[in-house]
Amino acid sequence: DPNGPGKPAGPGSYYMRFEANGVPQDYNITYAKLRYDADNLAYAGILTGQITPTKNTLTIFLWNKEEYVTGKKYILTNEILLAETNTISPQISIGHADAAGKQYAAVVLPSTGHPYVDDAELIFTEITNEHVKGTFSASLYSDIPEREKLEVTNGEFFMARN
């Protein structure tokens, strides 16, 4: 953190960084929102880092029955019942478009019966009224039938809350 631990970030210092198959990515346009969704009786979250809206973008979607806390690992295979539609959602799912605009995602739950193993996890290290900070990783895949794997490692984010 360029501003020191616990100090608010100045303009332009928010980020989402990760490695995609070992290649460093650094997205400095960020958006973070955590809120209670009364229709679904669950907490919803969205964290996005991007360079442009359709290429070089990564979005993390979150659902949880309790308010988000630091130090807890949120994982894709935890199933969250969404009351409004009576459907099951992964606790975390991730969508990514690379520099060419090719789409990758981690969204498939084991309970769907598909023979795939999608994987994603996130840990918040700081949650304040002003910002969120944490780490993430995932195994993302392109569409069926190709299903090309993109390994996301060393993910970290520091974002203003919107």
Side-chain angles (χ1 to χ4, degrees):
D1 177 349
N3 299 302
K7 300 276 195 245
S13 61
Y14 295 114
Y15 58 82
M16 176 183 274
R17 299 181 189 126
F18 60 96
E19 293 179 12
N21 286 341
V23 178
Q25 309 290 313
D26 193 345
Y27 298 169
N28 60 5
I29 300 170
T30 63
Y31 175 88
K33 185 166 188 143
L34 302 177
R35 66 179 182 85
Y36 183 71
D37 181 336
D39 293 333
N40 280 304
L41 305 176
Y43 289 86
I46 183 169
L47 308 172
T48 298
Q50 64 185 26
I51 295 173
T52 69
T54 58
K55 297 177 182 176
N56 291 313
T57 182
L58 187 138
T59 300
I60 301 170
F61 301 95
L62 296 159
W63 288 103
N64 200 48
K65 287 298 185 178
E66 295 90 34
E67 197 166 358
Y68 297 105
V69 296
T70 59
K72 178 179 178 175
K73 186 183 290 186
Y74 299 96
I75 60 174
L76 184 143
T77 54
N78 286 345
E79 298 181 349
I80 305 297
L81 176 64
L82 303 179
E84 183 177 29
T85 57
N86 198 35
T87 56
I88 299 292
S89 177
Q91 187 174 48
I92 174 177
S93 57
I94 297 180
H96 171 62
D98 68 12
K102 185 171 183 176
Q103 303 283 321
Y104 295 86
V107 296
V108 179
L109 285 165
S111 64
T112 61
H114 290 292
Y116 313 121
V117 180
D118 283 11
D119 180 46
E121 65 180 46
L122 175 141
I123 298 172
F124 288 106
T125 57
E126 291 180 29
I127 301 173
T128 72
N129 290 333
E130 292 78 36
H131 70 267
V132 292
K133 190 173 188 177
T135 62
F136 66 95
S137 63
S139 296
L140 307 178
Y141 296 90
S142 62
D143 288 337
I144 298 169
E146 179 187 36
R147 202 133 155 94
E148 178 186 334
K149 186 175 184 178
L150 181 75
E151 200 66 39
V152 172
T153 56
N154 300 316
E156 59 180 351
F157 58 88
F158 181 43
M159 301 177 173
R161 288 183 68 171
N162 300 93

